[in-house]
Structure formats: C-alpha cells, structure tokens
C-alpha cells in the first residue's frame, strides 16, 4: 500500500535526456509489473524473444536504474494501521527540510511540490499515537516547518505501478 521507491530526480533536473523505450522493452516491463518473479522464459514467450535476450534486456534496464524489482508489502497485514499524507509548509530551504524528513523511518515518501504545500510526506504508522508522535515531535519540531495539514487514509482504492509503458 506504500509507494515503491522512485527515482530521486527527473530527467529535467538531472540534465539527462529521458529514456526512450522500444515496444519490446515496454512489454517486458509490463510483464515484470504484473509479476516481478516471472521467469525470463515466460516473458520471452510473451514478447517473442529468447530467454537469453530477455535476460540481457532486463539486466540493461536494471543497470541503467530505469527499473527496480522490489517486494511491496501491505502495511495493514504487518500491523501498520494508520497511513496519512501530510502537507508541510516551510520557511527557507524546502530541499534541506525534505532531506531531513526523508531520513525518518516512518516516512515513506517525500516530494517537494509547488502550490499550497512545500512538501508532501507519506507516513505509515502502527496507530494514531505513533502518527501524532511523528507529526508533533518529528515533523513540527523542525525549525523551518511552519505548518502541516494531515490527510488520513480511510481506504486505498487504487494503487498501480504501471506508468511509463502505455
């Protein structure tokens, strides 16, 4: 239920051109998005390549940093009953505050934004007491933080990792 790690910077901010994928690579990624443990032979059958060719392509995708294969857990099944998105307003350097918040273990996701908030922070906590602790003692205690607004998740209706291939 938590987002998987994303690239730290966009191609725009890194100065690198965006990666252009051919249709076969996109199809391989789609196969892995459906099941990250799918065999190279099964993927090869689906995309029309040999097992060795799929293995090489997947390795190039991994080596380039374009693709990560990770296990995604369900926080509810692990006893983390409270998830929330917290909008954070800061004075001064938002990147410094983002870096500080990214170091907190309860925080799963940190984004520097434009708009009403300077940062959006996703937290996964055992319960409301831990959420209160994170907000009051970990986030609001940072000198540059001038305000927060918390959006508690009631029910997750959709989560997908299928971007970039369609």
């Amino acid at each position: 239920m938590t987002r998987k790690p994303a690239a730290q910077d966009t191609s725009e901010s890194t100065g690198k051109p965006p990666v252009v994928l051919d249709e076969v690579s996109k199809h391989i990624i789609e196969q892995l998005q459906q099941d990250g443990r799918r065999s190279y032979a099964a993927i090869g059958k689906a995309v029309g390549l040999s097992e060795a060719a799929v293995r090489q392509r997947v390795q190039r995708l991994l080596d380039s940093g374009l693709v990560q294969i990770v296990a995604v857990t369900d926080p509810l099944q692990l006893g983390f009953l409270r998830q929330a998105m917290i909008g954070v307003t800061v004075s001064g350097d938002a990147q410094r505050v983002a870096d500080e918040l990214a170091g907190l273990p309860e925080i799963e996701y940190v984004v520097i934004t434009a708009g009403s908030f300077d940062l959006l922070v996703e937290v996964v906590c055992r319960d409301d007491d831990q959420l209160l602790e994170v907000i009051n003692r970990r986030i609001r205690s940072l000198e540059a933080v001038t305000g927060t607004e918390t959006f508690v998740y009631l029910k997750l209706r959709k989560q997908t990792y299928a971007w970039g291939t369609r």
Side-chain angles (χ1 to χ4, degrees), residues 88-164:
V88 181
T89 308
V90 305
S91 65
D93 187 353
Q95 292 183 75
R96 184 186 58 73
V97 176
D99 290 342
E100 286 183 60
L101 293 175
L104 299 179
E106 301 88 355
I107 295 179
E108 300 296 326
Y109 181 77
V110 179
V111 181
I112 300 170
T113 64
S116 300
F117 302 105
D118 298 304
L119 307 170
L120 289 176
V121 174
E122 185 178 46
V123 298
V124 177
C125 299
R126 288 182 306 281
D127 52 29
D128 288 338
D129 289 336
Q130 186 183 21
L131 176 60
L132 181 60
E133 170 81 17
V134 169
I135 294 168
N136 271 342
R137 295 213 171 99
R138 313 287 303 268
I139 297 173
R140 289 182 180 157
S141 68
L142 297 177
E143 188 175 313
V145 171
T146 60
T148 63
E149 185 171 348
T150 303
F151 304 91
V152 173
Y153 297 2
L154 298 176
K155 183 174 276 264
L156 181 67
R157 297 300 294 185
K158 179 179 180 179
Q159 181 170 325
T160 181
Y161 302 116
W163 55 79

Side-chain angles (χ1 to χ4, degrees), residues 5-77:
Q8 296 299 312
D9 290 309
T10 64
S11 59
E12 203 173 273
S13 65
T14 62
K16 296 178 186 175
V19 175
V20 178
L21 296 173
D22 64 16
E23 290 305 312
V24 174
S25 291
K26 287 180 182 180
H27 200 64
I28 289 170
I29 293 170
E30 287 173 347
Q31 293 287 307
L32 291 169
Q33 286 171 330
Q34 291 169 13
D35 180 358
R37 295 182 60 192
R38 187 165 287 156
S39 73
Y40 294 137
I43 294 171
K45 189 181 254 188
V47 302
L49 292 178
S50 70
E51 179 180 349
V54 171
R55 181 180 294 109
Q56 289 174 347
R57 281 186 179 241
V58 170
Q59 193 59 54
R60 280 196 304 264
L61 291 167
L62 291 166
D63 291 345
S64 73
L66 181 71
V67 171
Q68 296 177 346
I69 299 173
V70 299
V72 179
T73 59
D74 180 349
L76 292 173
Q77 291 187 42

